[in-house]
Amino acid sequence: MIERPAQLKTLRDGLKASPVVALLGPRQCGKTTLAAALADLRLDRLLVVHPGKARFPLGKKIEALPLADCLQEVAKLGGRSNGAGAL
């Protein structure tokens, strides 16, 4: 894995401020790998949005899902201030 301390700090700071953080980038650039590096934050789960129509696991507590499904999951968060992240 390529070390990305600045990006990890930005993600950590974002997750302290909001239950949802967007991590955007082209296919195969390392978004899921970067998200997995946040495991020490003990998030409930990480959601990775993709352009397909199916949901599927990417790892422990990491799930890929279509945008429409992600919007529904984010709406369920309501006023929570931490504990989940969407990528």
Side-chain angles (χ1 to χ4, degrees):
M1 179 173 103
I2 297 171
E3 295 295 323
R4 298 182 180 183
Q7 290 84 356
L8 278 172
K9 182 181 181 329
T10 299
L11 285 170
R12 289 175 191 281
D13 291 347
L15 286 167
K16 288 177 187 172
S18 172
V20 178
V21 172
L23 178 57
L24 307 173
R27 191 167 182 230
Q28 299 292 313
C29 73
K31 298 179 299 291
T32 301
T33 301
L34 193 57
L38 299 172
D40 64 308
L41 293 181
R42 297 189 179 125
L43 301 172
D44 293 338
R45 63 191 194 165
L46 294 167
L47 305 175
V48 178
V49 180
H50 71 92
K53 296 184 188 278
R55 294 175 81 136
F56 53 90
L58 293 171
K60 186 176 180 182
K61 297 184 181 181
I62 303 174
E63 182 179 8
L65 65 167
L67 179 60
D69 288 3
C70 185
L71 295 175
Q72 292 172 354
E73 295 296 328
V74 169
K76 291 178 190 177
L77 292 173
R80 290 174 58 184
S81 61
N82 59 27
L87 304 173

